[in-house]
Amino acid sequence: MPTIIFSQSDQSATEIEVSEGTTLMRAAVSNGVAGIVGECGGQAMCATCHVYVDPEFSAELDEIGEDEEEMLDCTTAARTEYSRLGCQVKMSAKLARIRVSVPNEQV
Amino acid sequence: MGAINERVVIIGGGQAGIQLADSLRAQGYQGEISIVDDDRALPYQRPPLSKDFLTQGPAPEPLPLRAASFFAEQNIELRSGLTVLSVDTVRRSVALSDGSTLGYAHLVFATGARNRQLACPGAELPGVLGLRTLADAQQLQQALGRARQVVVIGAGFIGLEFAAAARARGLAVTVLEFAQRPMGRAVSTCLSDWFAQTHRDNGIDLRLGEGVREIRATGNSLVVGSSTGDEYDADLVVYGIGVLPNIELAQASGIHTENGITVDAALRTSAAGVYAIGDCAWFPNAFSGSRTRLESVQNATDQAKALAEVIATGSGEYAALPWFWSTQGALRLQIAGLAHPEDTPLVLGEMRAGKYSVALFRKGVLTAVESVNSPADHIAARKLLASRTEITPAMLREPGSTLKELAKRAVLIGA
Ligand SMILES: Cc1cc2nc3c(=O)[nH]c(=O)nc-3n(C[C@H](O)[C@H](O)[C@H](O)COP(=O)(O)OP(=O)(O)OC[C@H]3O[C@@H](n4cnc5c(N)ncnc54)[C@H](O)[C@@H]3O)c2cc1C
Ligand code: FES
């Protein structure tokens, strides 16, 4: 099963093993990763699951959809080229040990 | 900050109750916190239950409100599977279904709402189901796997969400709605009409002005008889005809109730040290100026946050902007502010393209914005409405003007 490493701005990190198809948001919310809220339940409608994906993995991700694109412009912490909505990134084998960092602010 | 033995008892571990416990700790509240919830499951989010949960595959997992480890980590006592049977507001204690009692310094009703039951003959037949809890959703998800034709009673948000999910699974779907429009008084008429048409284009047989008269069992399937005398075969009937607030326990304790548990702007009920939040609260709405009861995640979450401040610091009130979302198949609706069918609409964008917003004005001033597949409009509208920036139709009619631009101009959204 692939692993996700969520890192916080204070350098602490949480490693979570999930089954394929699980989104980064669900993994974070189910395991109590601080700073990921998931207020809309994963509908790409709230932008409270914003994460920065480690550059090493950005090429492996599916493209940003239209809905996600629009919401990424509404995140509380600044958007960068590595910004994604955690609820729109599904885990797969090629993302094994993906690193993502959690912004300081979501709401 | 709450003495160590100053206990907060929260009745209900739903969206509001769990957020309250979390926000109390975030506010530095150090007293004991006990949540009593009659659902046995780890507290979960309800919105996905009428959406992805029904389309995701054989054994979907609910989305928890907090991780299982959260409660111990935050020193919050969660007593699941227990009901609060009575409240003594003089002795300040509650009695639970396991025979125990809990004393409180602060008591919070976060009891939510339950489905209004169908009243027609046959309402109790197997295969006639409602949708509120995880157990309901699990039952429906299994029934959907066997069903071919479903009849949905009620074209409110949950009815339409369910209908769209069933349609996405390839089932034949008929929706009966007693009123002339779907989603009744909660949206503008132009939006409601557009949704009706779009659901029909998508193959849903939406019957407006037609209520249910009776349901009969015939062999393995059901027949739904409607108010127009038509009959519909179904192997599953799902109703979504509104909810009733859970206020009986408060009533029996002598607490004042109307269309919900009556609270003031600080979410206090008529009894000392007793509060109500979420779906069950009848509160003074800072935006409409009248009392209201709202069933939304926003309302539950923001009231919980406001009450945490009231309890932890002794001051504060609830004044957040209402907003809401509903996902019906590919249609993603978001509403900022409270929409009324009587408001004057101005459509922004192309309805035909399925991506637009409806700005609603009362006496020439923007009061609500409904957005379809336009989340950026929604977020901008929330900022504009919450800050009470005055927006007129003329400002939105200017060439190139968008809600986002207006919000930026008001220096609300960073560049
Ligand atoms: C299927 C569905 C889809 C939804 N979709 C959306 C959506 O897309 N967007 C949106 O904004 N909102 C949506 N909602 C509404 C939203 O989920 C509710 O507004 C929200 O859950 C209200 O939170 P609450 O804590 O007030 O009540 P609830 O979540 O209902 O929690 C109340 C809890 O209290 C318990 N309880 C009651 N009485 C007692 C007692 N005496 N003792 C012990 N426990 C008790 C109840 O069993 C329940 O567990 C949806 C609701 C449903 C059912
Ligand atoms: S959970 Fe709301 S946008 Fe991802």
Side-chain angles (χ1 to χ4, degrees):
Chain A
M1 290 205 294
T3 299
I4 311 166
I5 303 154
F6 288 99
S7 59
Q8 305 282 349
S9 52
D10 66 0
Q11 310 306 324
S12 67
T14 320
E15 278 197 39
I16 299 168
E17 222 184 306
V18 297
S19 48
E20 290 193 26
T22 305
T23 67
L24 297 179
M25 184 277 289
R26 178 181 284 271
V29 170
S30 308
N31 290 281
V33 173
I36 297 196
V37 183
E39 198 164 56
C40 75
Q43 303 284 318
M45 303 241 255
C46 69
T48 66
C49 61
H50 179 202
V51 293
Y52 302 111
V53 175
D54 191 297
E56 199 189 316
F57 290 88
S58 29
E60 302 289 337
L61 300 179
D62 291 340
E63 274 195 28
I64 298 180
E66 205 185 316
D67 306 332
E68 184 180 356
E69 177 61 41
E70 225 178 278
M71 280 318 284
L72 281 171
D73 281 336
C74 305
T75 51
T76 302
R79 176 179 185 175
T80 73
E81 59 183 304
Y82 305 115
S83 289
R84 293 301 300 254
L85 293 181
C87 65
Q88 302 302 306
V89 178
K90 281 197 178 142
M91 286 301 289
S92 60
K94 63 182 182 188
L95 298 180
R97 297 198 62 80
I98 186 174
R99 277 187 154 273
V100 301
S101 44
V102 180
N104 276 328
E105 277 185 309
Q106 292 283 15
V107 270
Chain B
M1 289 282 132
I4 298 296
N5 51 9
E6 206 175 76
R7 186 190 290 130
V8 179
V9 172
I10 303 171
I11 313 176
Q15 197 90 42
I18 301 298
Q19 181 67 52
L20 173 63
D22 189 344
S23 296
L24 277 169
R25 288 292 183 240
Q27 289 270 350
Y29 186 82
Q30 292 182 1
E32 285 179 45
I33 300 176
S34 298
I35 304 171
V36 186
D37 189 46
D38 53 14
D39 204 315
R40 276 170 206 287
L42 178 68
Y44 52 87
Q45 303 193 21
R46 294 186 200 279
L49 299 181
S50 49
K51 306 177 181 80
D52 351 356
F53 191 88
L54 298 173
T55 50
Q56 238 167 25
E61 285 285 324
L63 191 60
L65 283 163
R66 296 293 183 279
S69 57
F70 164 84
F71 299 94
E73 277 162 19
Q74 296 291 324
N75 193 19
I76 293 164
E77 183 192 35
L78 174 64
R79 303 181 73 167
S80 298
L82 290 178
T83 306
V84 174
L85 297 176
S86 66
V87 175
D88 185 333
T89 57
V90 178
R91 290 220 174 97
R92 293 203 175 204
S93 73
V94 301
L96 311 192
S97 50
D98 65 352
S100 63
T101 57
L102 270 175
Y104 66 81
H106 305 276
L107 176 67
V108 182
F109 282 86
T111 47
R114 62 183 180 277
N115 280 333
R116 185 189 295 276
Q117 298 295 312
L118 268 185
C120 68
E124 70 302 327
L125 287 169
V128 180
L129 303 172
L131 175 51
R132 175 84 197 172
T133 64
L134 175 60
D136 292 341
Q138 283 164 334
Q139 209 183 344
L140 272 178
Q141 140 78 18
Q142 289 190 356
L144 277 172
R146 297 185 298 264
R148 293 175 49 221
Q149 335 182 49
V150 298
V151 171
V152 178
I153 298 170
F157 294 112
I158 291 178
L160 289 177
E161 287 178 3
F162 175 81
R167 190 71 201 112
R169 290 182 59 151
L171 278 69
V173 181
T174 301
V175 181
L176 301 182
E177 169 57 56
F178 181 74
Q180 295 301 332
R181 290 207 157 79
M183 299 178 284
R185 298 193 48 80
V187 299
S188 68
T189 51
C190 59
L191 185 103
S192 168
D193 291 346
W194 185 87
F195 266 75
Q197 190 53 48
T198 309
H199 281 307
R200 283 177 176 145
D201 292 347
N202 207 15
I204 291 175
D205 181 17
L206 174 60
R207 309 229 151 210
L208 300 172
E210 193 170 336
V212 60
R213 197 188 66 238
E214 59 163 5
I215 305 168
R216 295 190 313 272
T218 56
N220 275 339
S221 84
L222 299 162
V223 177
V224 179
S226 86
S227 55
T228 56
D230 287 302
E231 304 219 312
Y232 305 92
D233 292 329
D235 24 38
L236 175 64
V237 175
V238 177
Y239 60 93
I241 53 170
V243 300
L244 299 170
N246 290 324
I247 61 174
E248 291 75 9
L249 180 64
Q251 261 169 346
S253 329
I255 291 166
H256 189 70
T257 63
E258 290 163 77
N259 174 23
I261 303 173
T262 311
V263 293
D264 65 11
L267 303 159
R268 294 178 293 225
T269 70
S270 61
V274 182
Y275 313 81
I277 52 175
D279 280 12
C280 69
W282 176 241
F283 69 96
N285 184 323
F287 283 82
S288 69
S290 55
R291 263 179 203 281
T292 185
R293 204 173 60 69
L294 293 176
E295 294 141 22
S296 70
V297 167
Q298 174 281 323
N299 186 66
T301 308
D302 287 342
Q303 287 188 343
K305 289 178 183 168
L307 180 58
E309 194 186 334
V310 169
I311 292 177
T313 70
S315 67
E317 32 183 72
Y318 176 68
L321 176 81
W323 54 265
F324 179 76
W325 82 91
S326 169
T327 318
Q328 302 173 17
L331 305 179
R332 300 158 71 246
L333 168 64
Q334 290 168 289
I335 306 176
L338 293 180
H340 287 288
E342 296 79 24
D343 296 340
T344 311
L346 173 66
V347 176
L348 312 170
E350 270 297 316
M351 287 183 108
R352 251 176 316 165
K355 184 175 168 67
Y356 62 93
S357 291
V358 183
L360 294 167
F361 297 89
R362 218 167 300 158
K363 298 195 181 117
V365 175
L366 185 72
T367 52
V369 176
E370 304 166 326
S371 302
V372 179
N373 297 331
S374 304
D377 277 0
H378 171 74
I379 300 285
R382 256 159 66 177
K383 304 207 169 171
L384 289 168
L385 289 165
S387 64
R388 301 187 188 233
T389 309
E390 200 167 299
I391 301 292
T392 60
M395 294 164 78
L396 280 166
R397 280 206 193 94
E398 271 170 43
S401 164
T402 61
L403 289 162
K404 203 167 161 184
E405 281 309 313
L406 290 173
K408 255 190 206 161
R409 236 188 282 162
V411 204
L412 294 159
I413 298 178

